[in-house]
Amino acid sequence: MKDQYGRTIDYLRISITDACNLRCRYCMPESSSGCGMEGAGKEPLLSVEEILKLVHAATSLGITHYRITGGEPLVRKECVELVQKMKAVPGVSSVGITTNGVRLAECAEKLKQAGCDSVNVSLDTVDTAEFAALTGRDALEQVKNGICAAKEAGLFVKLNAVHRKELHALELAAFAEQMKVPVRFIEMMPVGAGKSYVGPSNEVLKKELEQWYGARTPDLSRKGNGPAIYETYEKLSIPVGFISAIHGKFCRNCNRVRLTSRGFLKLCLCYENGVDLREVLQNETVEKLEKVIAQAIWNKPMEHCFERPKDMTEHHLMSGIGG
Ligand code: SAM
Ligand code: SF4
């Protein structure tokens, strides 16, 4: 469906939990309550049935691409079941998952069987000590095993790294090359704990990668459901993607909305605007639900205001929003 600015909204990120088995400093630091939606944490999570009802309604509005996220989606035991049931909804084109990879090794084969279309693994460093310091857990080997298992299961895997100023992009690109999976660098957004880690522009990384891996060429053939711009490098066989929300604002082409694990439909990462769908999901028909979603999406804000942090109204942690 279209919003008031003529943008086609066809992508929904669904957070299925705000719990997580890591404590990434920029997302859900140890000092936080462990729940990204402070204050709203007492509401129960949406049930599988409620999420499916929402997917039916959203799909009939033209939202056909879905990504399951969290918190950490694989800590919720119904995650694989949900992928499988969402894929069975008529009109759904793709269902992917974004995970920290810690539990991926045990879930990869089941995700494949469930019809999962892609697995994005968040990995910010391939250094064991740095991983433990950044995430609060000594789990790098588990994540690497998860990536291998996902590849072996035949899943389409991508790596996502958030651009902090300490990021070692060359090492991550070398690891991605070794694994033969695309890697994407995401500019840190000033959301939640991320405010203290906002780093330099992705342009810096492009230059750094070019010095090491040779001349870069835009890879226009590669277009997923998101805002990543891909490039190839002479000495790398994998594509490298850049998601530059801050220094390459892409709001004009934004195609997405987000559902929190407690049923709030969020329209933009920057603001708290949106609509609480829990009651509608529980008490109203799919037709009424469609109307409420359509009206909310129509009012999606024109653009984020990360460059003017004082105007931001979103104050939750990213783990409560789903990234
Ligand atoms: N736990 C899963 C994971 O880590 O992939 C899914 C949820 S996590 C919130 C989704 C993505 O958001 C991760 O790739 C994470 O690195 C990213 N993220 C968290 N805080 C961010 C921030 N302030 N700016 C940009 N990305 C952020
Ligand atoms: Fe957990 Fe993902 Fe946030 Fe890290 S980025 S704390 S893995 S939700």
Side-chain angles (χ1 to χ4, degrees):
M1 70 161 286
K2 300 264 188 206
D3 72 359
Q4 63 179 314
Y5 301 106
R7 294 173 295 196
T8 298
I9 309 301
D10 60 3
Y11 178 94
L12 174 64
R13 294 177 71 89
I14 301 180
S15 171
I16 62 168
T17 176
D18 39 35
C20 189
N21 47 4
L22 294 184
R23 288 290 179 274
C24 302
R25 285 184 180 178
Y26 57 82
C27 181
M28 194 201 281
E30 298 279 8
S31 57
S32 69
S33 69
C35 162
M37 297 302 276
E38 273 89 341
K42 290 192 186 79
E43 293 278 308
L45 299 176
L46 290 188
S47 66
V48 168
E49 290 67 34
E50 286 164 347
I51 295 172
L52 288 171
K53 182 171 175 182
L54 184 126
V55 169
H56 272 278
T59 304
S60 63
L61 291 170
I63 297 176
T64 57
H65 298 286
Y66 295 88
R67 181 158 292 277
I68 296 176
T69 175
E72 171 48 37
L74 292 178
V75 303
R76 184 162 171 183
K77 63 176 186 335
E78 296 132 322
C79 183
V80 174
E81 173 194 345
L82 195 57
V83 172
Q84 186 246 317
K85 290 186 169 164
M86 283 171 63
K87 281 288 288 190
V89 173
V92 167
S93 309
S94 68
V95 179
I97 177 172
T98 294
T99 172
N100 60 29
V102 173
R103 298 198 58 192
L104 187 53
E106 57 196 283
C107 301
E109 190 54 50
K110 288 179 251 174
L111 281 169
K112 178 67 185 173
Q113 297 304 322
C116 182
D117 291 287
S118 70
V119 178
N120 289 355
V121 181
S122 305
L123 182 63
D124 294 324
T125 173
V126 285
D127 179 272
T128 306
E130 194 187 15
F131 184 97
L134 188 63
T135 68
R137 306 287 183 270
D138 184 11
L140 180 61
E141 271 316 298
Q142 278 165 264
V143 178
K144 286 183 174 174
N145 291 339
I147 295 167
C148 292
K151 285 210 67 188
E152 272 164 31
L155 288 159
F156 178 58
V157 180
K158 285 193 253 79
L159 302 184
N160 283 340
V162 185
H163 187 182
R164 304 160 290 127
K165 71 175 188 316
E166 304 79 8
L167 178 81
H168 298 296
L170 300 181
E171 280 93 323
L172 274 163
F175 176 71
E177 176 75 8
Q178 187 194 333
M179 299 304 299
K180 295 273 169 282
V181 295
V183 61
R184 307 188 306 174
F185 296 103
I186 302 172
E187 285 184 352
M188 182 77 73
M189 289 175 270
V191 175
K195 284 190 185 80
S196 317
Y197 294 89
V198 173
S201 158
N202 267 344
E203 293 305 310
V204 175
L205 295 185
K206 291 182 186 172
K207 289 189 188 122
E208 197 183 325
L209 288 162
E210 192 164 32
Q211 273 173 10
W212 195 258
Y213 291 115
R216 62 189 157 108
T217 318
D219 183 353
L220 301 174
S221 68
R222 204 161 275 274
K223 189 96 186 79
N225 301 314
I229 291 177
Y230 284 92
E231 306 209 318
T232 52
Y233 290 80
E234 254 170 12
K235 295 181 206 155
L236 283 178
S237 66
I238 49 146
V240 181
F242 298 91
I243 301 179
S244 310
I246 311 291
H247 298 90
K249 201 167 180 173
F250 42 70
C251 301
R252 249 186 320 165
N253 298 319
C254 186
N255 66 342
R256 62 196 53 205
V257 287
R258 295 170 165 84
L259 181 74
T260 72
S261 57
R262 319 274 164 179
F264 190 83
L265 185 71
K266 250 187 83 58
L267 306 170
C268 173
L269 273 178
C270 193
Y271 311 101
E272 294 218 332
N273 300 35
V275 58
D276 194 344
L277 294 177
R278 173 183 293 278
E279 274 217 15
V280 191
L281 274 166
Q282 288 173 347
N283 301 320
E284 302 286 353
T285 60
V286 174
E287 290 71 30
K288 171 73 181 173
L289 181 60
E290 278 170 29
K291 275 196 186 146
V292 176
I293 297 173
Q295 192 177 12
I297 291 181
W298 179 257
N299 292 318
K300 181 174 158 69
M302 188 172 75
E303 58 180 18
H304 72 63
C305 62
F306 290 145
E307 66 282 13
R308 300 185 310 279
K310 282 196 191 115
D311 294 346
M312 285 179 64
T313 57
E314 180 57 70
H315 298 299
H316 291 109
L317 295 179
M318 195 64 113
S319 52
I321 301 171

